[in-house]
Amino acid sequence: MSEVPLHSPISFHGRVETRAITSRILQDNPLGDPSTREVPVYLPPDLAPDERLPTCFVLAGFTGRGQNYLETHPWKRSVAALYDEACAAGEAPRAILVFPDCFTSLGGSQYVNSSATGRYEDHITQEIVPWVDEHYPTLPGRRALCGKSSGGFGAMHLSMRHPALFPAVASISGDVGFEDVFPAELLACARGLLIRDQTPAEFLSSFRADPDLSGDAHAIINSLAMAACYSPAPETDLGFELPIDLQTGARNEAVWQRWLQFDPLRAIES
């Protein structure tokens, strides 16, 4: 029987520093989520005292946060570890990697500003970026964004809105083409709530006590989180509106149009 090699998560050629950042912008956010976040930063090996490097901000997908890219499972190689190996072998350009934590109690922020979740776009652009430039040997203006799934969406969203800040971007399976991505997910959300005989508020209450993502639960929490990001409504009890009727599945066109404004296929036109 062949042996599966085990890799130590601490055997970096470079190093990872994890520091706590207390955000003024995220204080008193609507969900009561922590305003102090841990931000891992990867630095490549043999960093010279006068060396300055480009920076890449790596955004996590829905239900994830920056720490996910430091995966320590013995059978998996983390993003940080794979990049570290490539840098040590001279197979990748050297850069500083930053892994922001923009998780919310709904599962994610989509890296946007919303009255229902908090100002996560501002948190990255106005706090994380200056903090990295202050504490690490960055090259001015040499910044990139990348991410997968919701992180890929966040990379596209932030780079389009702040092209001077993030002149390079890569999206891996980012949320795009909302007309194809979300309709089935929203119907699964409605189905899951009907089966459970729960309102969205009742589901969120039970989910916080037991965050089980089995069955339609992932579709429910995902749909509620997207609504909190794309169609906030401070005047409502939940603080956001869904773009469908949960009893019939009929689309609320006015709310759906608010979602489409975030679709990178639409947003790139403006």
Side-chain angles (χ1 to χ4, degrees):
M1 183 176 67
S2 62
E3 293 182 357
V4 177
L6 302 182
H7 303 278
S8 168
I10 62 173
S11 59
F12 287 110
H13 300 278
R15 71 181 190 273
V16 171
E17 297 181 358
T18 300
R19 303 191 190 188
I21 299 178
T22 298
S23 168
R24 174 188 56 81
I25 288 173
L26 297 183
Q27 286 178 354
D28 302 320
N29 63 80
L31 296 175
D33 291 326
S35 59
T36 297
R37 304 293 177 104
E38 288 186 342
V39 180
V41 177
Y42 168 82
L43 298 164
D46 305 318
L47 190 62
D50 59 347
E51 186 177 9
R52 304 187 75 81
L53 294 171
T55 309
C56 183
F57 294 79
V58 187
L59 307 183
F62 185 64
T63 75
R65 54 184 187 153
Q67 288 89 334
N68 288 41
Y69 291 120
L70 306 178
E71 171 67 65
T72 59
H73 192 286
W75 291 350
K76 300 177 183 178
R77 304 297 284 134
S78 71
V79 168
L82 290 169
Y83 182 71
D84 177 67
E85 292 170 1
C87 280
E91 298 171 352
R94 292 161 62 81
I96 298 167
L97 304 186
V98 182
F99 305 100
D101 176 7
C102 292
F103 186 80
T104 73
S105 52
L106 293 177
S109 66
Q110 296 300 96
Y111 308 93
V112 305
N113 290 337
S114 167
S115 63
T117 58
R119 293 163 47 206
Y120 286 88
E121 176 182 334
D122 290 348
H123 172 55
I124 288 182
T125 60
Q126 298 178 24
E127 292 183 325
I128 299 293
V129 168
W131 178 85
V132 171
D133 285 342
E134 179 183 354
H135 290 88
Y136 295 97
T138 62
L139 270 174
R142 295 290 300 278
R143 298 187 197 90
L145 279 165
C146 72
K148 73 163 207 173
S149 192
S150 285
F153 166 85
M156 290 185 283
H157 174 78
L158 292 172
S159 65
M160 283 192 285
R161 287 177 53 79
H162 305 276
L165 199 61
F166 303 112
V169 60
S171 170
I172 303 169
S173 300
D175 300 354
V176 67
F178 284 13
E179 287 282 5
D180 296 316
V181 170
F182 287 117
E185 188 85 346
L186 288 164
L187 290 177
C189 168
R191 177 181 62 204
L193 290 171
L194 286 171
I195 290 172
R196 288 168 173 78
D197 192 25
Q198 288 180 322
T199 65
E202 290 168 341
F203 172 84
L204 289 174
S205 178
S206 63
F207 185 82
R208 290 188 180 104
D210 179 19
D212 178 8
L213 291 174
S214 62
D216 285 326
H218 187 281
I220 298 172
I221 194 65
N222 184 56
S223 298
L224 299 181
M226 297 304 111
C229 295
Y230 300 147
S231 50
E235 70 281 3
T236 65
D237 291 339
L238 283 174
F240 58 84
E241 296 177 303
L242 283 160
I244 64 167
D245 184 298
L246 291 174
Q247 296 299 314
T248 66
R251 181 177 290 181
N252 182 321
E253 195 60 38
V255 177
W256 181 242
Q257 287 301 317
R258 296 181 64 191
W259 283 45
L260 291 181
Q261 291 176 14
F262 286 92
D263 186 343
L265 289 181
R266 289 273 191 101
I268 198 170
E269 296 176 356
S270 59

